[in-house]
Amino acid sequence: MTFKEVFGAEGPISRIGSFLADVIGANLVWLVLAGPALMLAINAWGLGLPSIVWDLGEFSVSMNILGLLFPLVLMGPGTTAIFAALGKVQRKEESYLLKDFFKSYKQNFKQSLVTIPLLIFACMLIYSLWLEINNQALFGKILYVTIPLQSFLILELIFLFLYLFPLLARFEMPTKDLLKYSFMMANKHIPTTLICLALFLAVLALTFLWNLGIGVFGFGVYVYLSSFLFEKVFRNYMPEEDLDKDYLPEEIVAESTQVSAAVRRADEEAQKQMEADRRAIIDRYTKGKKD
């Protein structure tokens, strides 16, 4: 490859730079508008507000109540918005990252609040499970029932969350259908679900166990990669005309549209000719009767 081909506007260096800019930009906006950055800032400043302290044995975690409210409310709209913005980039559609992010954030804000009771329920299950594991003598043999049941419910909620945000970002549907299809797809397409879960856990592990700096772009990378996998699932449920529009090159779609229009015109002309022939036969027959 020549120097121009490598460093030109269509070269690999330019494409990689554009990809990194999109991922980091979307990730930074998500950190603020989805609540994680606000949660950390408020917890660091304190602001004289009451905090919740979790005693986890060897160490304890203290979180400001207001700081917890921000991600609880904003996580749904923010995560839906980053899937909408980077999803268009992944599908190579014409996109304007910030515009697409804020458009989805505003458009889906109300519906994405359905995640609030689900998040609360998930946190209650996780905390209950932690209590039971650390106080086994107190609960006795009932743990043989409660621990597997709660573990299963937590896993299903995680599966549901994996699909809920990309579905809401991609399609318009009632909340009841959103939850139903998220649950159905997550359990029907288990290989995709497990791969996306592994990607998400890998980002969490690298961020909190290796280097916090990965948080600047890690979630954006997960969204971009998982969007590719989710699209393969969604294609199984999309009408054929939507598949043509989303997955074929624009010139092919345009040519196909022109062919379809020509076929319709030819069909209309054939129908008119048949009607004219029919009228001619009727007129000739009627005229012969009169004569």
Side-chain angles (χ1 to χ4, degrees), residues 107-255:
Q107 179 178 334
N108 297 307
F109 188 93
K110 184 177 180 180
Q111 191 174 10
S112 61
L113 295 181
V114 69
T115 57
I116 294 177
L118 294 176
L119 283 170
I120 293 174
F121 182 54
C123 290
M124 291 172 62
L125 284 174
I126 294 171
Y127 185 64
S128 175
L129 185 62
W130 178 85
L131 285 176
E132 291 170 0
I133 292 174
N134 287 273
N135 298 275
Q136 296 183 30
L138 179 64
F139 291 97
K141 292 184 179 180
I142 195 174
L143 294 180
Y144 292 108
V145 177
T146 58
I147 288 180
L149 178 60
Q150 289 173 325
S151 300
F152 173 77
L153 290 175
I154 291 170
L155 185 62
E156 285 296 330
L157 281 171
I158 293 173
F159 284 1
L160 182 72
F161 280 123
L162 286 176
Y163 281 79
L164 190 148
F165 300 116
L167 262 178
L168 181 56
R170 191 75 171 89
F171 305 104
E172 293 183 9
M173 62 178 71
T175 302
K176 178 182 69 174
D177 291 339
L178 177 67
L179 296 173
K180 179 179 73 175
Y181 288 122
S182 296
F183 177 81
M184 180 195 71
M185 290 182 184
N187 288 277
K188 186 176 180 180
H189 303 275
I190 287 293
T192 298
T193 303
L194 294 178
I195 292 172
C196 290
L197 178 59
L199 284 172
F200 180 69
L201 293 178
V203 169
L204 285 181
L206 289 172
T207 302
F208 292 103
L209 300 180
W210 186 48
N211 193 323
L212 286 175
I214 293 177
V216 174
F217 62 87
F219 189 70
V221 172
Y222 161 74
V223 170
Y224 184 89
L225 295 177
S226 64
S227 292
F228 172 77
L229 298 172
F230 288 132
E231 279 296 317
K232 295 183 69 174
V233 172
F234 296 161
R235 290 186 66 177
N236 297 312
Y237 305 90
M238 294 172 64
E240 188 174 343
E241 57 270 20
D242 289 343
L243 289 176
D244 291 343
K245 180 180 178 182
D246 289 338
Y247 296 100
L248 291 177
E250 293 183 2
E251 57 270 19
I252 296 180
V253 175
E255 184 177 348

Side-chain angles (χ1 to χ4, degrees), residues 1-37:
M1 297 180 69
T2 64
F3 181 88
K4 185 176 181 180
E5 290 175 336
V6 174
F7 293 94
E10 300 298 326
I13 300 299
S14 177
R15 290 198 297 269
I16 293 173
S18 177
F19 166 76
L20 291 176
D22 288 337
V23 167
I24 294 174
N27 201 124
L28 290 175
V29 177
W30 175 81
L31 284 172
V32 176
L33 295 184

